[in-house]
């Protein structure tokens, strides 16, 4: 590990908000990361780890504690107990998209629809990231992590992580404590060895413009996904303010089928697999300030938060008067920093959007990024 002069979190996060923390350490090896965490915990510091900074919304006040930057990298190929498959183990600080690119280049299927998602491998299970119907939980085997309570390192199977719709037992919700305070050191996934695949999922088929069941190459899927994300401002670009955000700021709404039927029929929706835990979006009238518990059900439906936002009267490019925060000009789900916006400005915009969607459709949209020193 290495203690470094604190850097403004606005310079290390893609939403570009946040002051310099009280202390900052950087770890480029797993041993250094473990040492940094154990030392921080021994001091009793408040803390959080920082990877790519692409899923953090940090407040304007300096963080009174230690921020640990995870810079570990490396991919290891391992045998799979399943025929025709292979396992990849990646270090927590490895870039997620670099990890996906490695899998695609070597003909390993299962991650390609998640091309272009920013951030690091270690953050992926915390958020259970996903795109176009593909999620980390579909291929995740296990994670190696270190627990704050004991300082011990253990290997934890995916089934023990409480993976749900953009959540896990490791994720902070609305400033509350996670169910398990621990840090991922490495991630192992199990992938199919094949240079091409038949695309089944409705969301992915729609995104790719497929109308047949002919196999397509993994590289073709990746290229199309990257092009699609780029057209929506979802690929990081220093010169494009539309990418200065956290990607999708709000989660797509997971609602019972009966609630979805009450929405306009043109609102895009997709069935949710029966075994997928989800955080439910509930009517504000029934909202008591607590995060809804994960639920299961074969009749749950995912509806497009972007459609709800736009049809609540929030156009692409919308901003409040005198605010430097705005909705992306390319995608209604992305809130962006147009240059020097404070966290307070971004939060004000997010609350306004939530209120408009609730007024129009009776649903409370939940933010997707981890909030540090911010309340909505």
């Amino acid at each position: 590990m290495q203690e470094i002069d604190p850097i403004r979190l606005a310079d290390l996060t893609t939403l570009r908000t946040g002051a310099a923390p009280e202390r900052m350490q950087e770890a480029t090896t797993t041993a250094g990361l473990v040492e940094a965490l154990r030392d921080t915990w021994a001091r009793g510091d408040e803390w959080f780890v920082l990877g790519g900074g692409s899923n953090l919304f940090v407040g304007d006040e300096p963080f009174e504690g230690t921020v640990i930057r995870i810079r570990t990298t490396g991919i290891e190929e391992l045998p799979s107990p399943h025929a025709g498959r292979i396992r990849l183990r990646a270090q927590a600080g490895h870039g997620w998209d670099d990890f996906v690119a490695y899998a695609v280049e070597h003909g390993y299927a299962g991650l390609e629809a998640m091309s272009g998602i920013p951030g690091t491998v270690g953050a992926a299970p915390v958020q259970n990231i996903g795109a176009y119907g593909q999620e980390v939980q579909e291929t995740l085997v296990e994670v190696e992590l270190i627990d704050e309570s004991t300082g011990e390192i253990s290997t934890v199977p995916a089934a023990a992580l409480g993976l749900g719709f953009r959540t896990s037992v490791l994720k902070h919700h609305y400033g509350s404590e996670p169910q398990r305070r621990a840090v991922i050191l490495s991630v192992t996934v199990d992938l199919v060895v094949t240079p091409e695949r038949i695309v089944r999922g409705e969301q992915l088929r729609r995104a790719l413009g497929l109308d047949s069941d002919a196999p397509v190459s993994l590289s073709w899927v990746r290229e199309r996904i990257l092009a699609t994300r780029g057209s929506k401002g979802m690929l990081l670009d220093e010169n494009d303010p539309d990418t200065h955000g956290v990607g999708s700021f709000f989660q797509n709404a997971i609602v019972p089928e009966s609630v979805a039927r009450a929405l306009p029929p043109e609102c895009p929706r997709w069935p949710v697999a029966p075994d997928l835990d989800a955080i439910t979006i509930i009517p504000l009238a029934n909202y008591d300030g607590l995060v809804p518990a994960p639920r299961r059900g074969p009749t749950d439906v995912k509806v497009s938060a972007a459609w709800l936002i736009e049809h609540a009267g929030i156009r692409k490019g919308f901003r409040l008067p005198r605010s430097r925060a705005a909705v992306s000009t390319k995608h209604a789900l992305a809130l962006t920093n147009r240059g020097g916006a404070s966290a307070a400005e971004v939060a004000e915009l997010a609350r306004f959007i939530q209120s408009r969607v609730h007024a129009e459709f009776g649903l409370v949209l939940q933010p997707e990024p981890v909030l540090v020193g911010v309340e909505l």
Side-chain angles (χ1 to χ4, degrees):
M1 76 173 175
Q2 178 185 5
E3 182 120 10
I4 60 176
D5 291 334
I7 303 169
R8 284 195 324 147
L9 293 173
D11 297 326
L12 299 175
T13 58
T14 56
L15 189 53
R16 304 187 174 197
T17 64
E22 188 176 2
R23 284 177 296 279
M24 183 173 286
Q25 295 185 352
E26 183 175 273
T28 57
T29 65
T30 299
L33 175 56
V34 169
E35 180 186 2
L37 289 166
R38 286 174 176 166
D39 286 351
T40 299
W41 296 337
R43 286 196 304 269
D45 278 3
E46 291 294 319
W47 63 276
F48 69 87
V49 294
L50 176 67
S54 60
N55 195 47
L56 283 177
F57 180 20
V58 185
D60 296 315
E61 295 300 316
F63 179 72
E64 296 181 356
T66 300
V67 173
I68 301 169
R69 296 187 68 190
I70 302 180
R71 307 293 293 275
T72 56
T73 60
I75 299 173
E76 179 183 5
E77 296 194 1
L78 304 169
S80 171
H82 309 292
R85 304 180 72 93
I86 191 169
R87 293 190 171 180
L88 299 182
R89 178 182 296 150
Q91 297 304 303
H94 205 97
W96 172 260
D97 191 54
D98 292 337
F99 186 45
V100 176
Y102 179 96
V104 169
E105 289 166 6
H106 288 77
Y108 306 149
L111 306 177
E112 56 281 351
M114 293 181 280
S115 293
I117 296 178
T120 57
V121 170
V126 175
Q127 180 80 358
N128 186 25
I129 64 172
Y132 304 106
Q134 194 175 76
E135 292 184 317
V136 163
Q137 67 176 355
E138 297 169 10
T139 55
L140 184 66
V141 175
E142 62 192 21
V143 299
E144 182 185 28
L145 54 73
I146 178 171
D147 278 282
E148 181 185 23
S149 60
T150 63
E152 296 298 315
I153 298 171
S154 60
T155 299
V156 178
L161 294 175
L163 297 168
F165 185 66
R166 303 299 172 265
T167 192
S168 72
V169 297
L170 302 174
K171 184 179 177 181
H172 296 255
H173 291 294
Y174 300 92
S176 66
E177 291 297 303
Q179 298 176 51
R180 184 170 186 171
R181 286 183 64 87
V183 175
I184 290 176
L185 304 176
S186 70
V187 171
T188 302
V189 297
D190 194 84
L191 306 176
V192 178
V193 180
T194 177
E196 59 183 20
R197 57 173 290 202
I198 297 174
V199 177
R200 303 289 188 191
E202 177 187 348
Q203 277 186 274
L204 185 53
R205 289 180 64 86
R206 185 181 302 176
L208 297 173
L210 292 175
D211 55 9
S212 75
D213 289 331
V216 294
S217 70
L218 303 183
S219 59
W220 182 85
V221 172
R222 174 171 166 77
E223 289 168 5
R224 291 295 296 269
I225 291 297
L226 289 174
T228 299
R229 291 182 67 88
S231 69
K232 296 179 179 181
M234 295 292 184
L235 292 180
L236 296 178
D237 182 346
E238 180 67 26
N239 299 315
D240 184 359
D242 277 332
T243 71
H244 301 167
V246 290
S248 297
F249 191 92
F250 294 106
Q251 297 177 4
N252 284 324
I254 301 293
V255 299
E257 191 175 37
S258 58
V259 174
R261 283 199 299 268
L263 296 171
E266 61 270 22
C267 177
R269 65 201 69 195
W270 307 272
V272 174
D275 62 346
L276 177 62
D277 284 337
I279 296 179
T280 307
I281 309 298
I282 60 175
L284 187 59
N286 299 331
Y287 182 62
D288 60 5
L290 299 176
V291 178
R295 60 186 302 280
R296 291 180 183 269
T299 59
D300 284 350
V301 176
K302 177 165 64 175
V303 299
S304 169
W307 189 95
L308 295 174
I309 290 169
E310 291 197 84
H311 287 79
I314 306 295
R315 66 187 184 279
K316 296 182 182 74
F318 173 86
R319 71 172 76 193
L320 294 169
R322 297 178 297 281
S323 177
R324 294 165 293 182
V327 176
S328 166
T329 65
K330 302 181 182 73
H331 199 298
L333 263 186
L335 306 191
T336 63
N337 189 329
R338 312 308 288 189
S342 65
E345 289 173 279
V346 176
E348 182 184 28
L349 176 60
R351 286 191 290 268
F352 181 81
I353 292 171
Q354 286 177 312
S355 69
R356 291 297 309 141
V357 170
H358 164 254
E360 189 69 26
F361 300 108
L363 301 178
V364 179
L365 294 182
Q366 296 184 25
E368 192 162 302
V370 174
L371 310 182
V372 178
V374 181
E375 293 184 4
L376 294 182

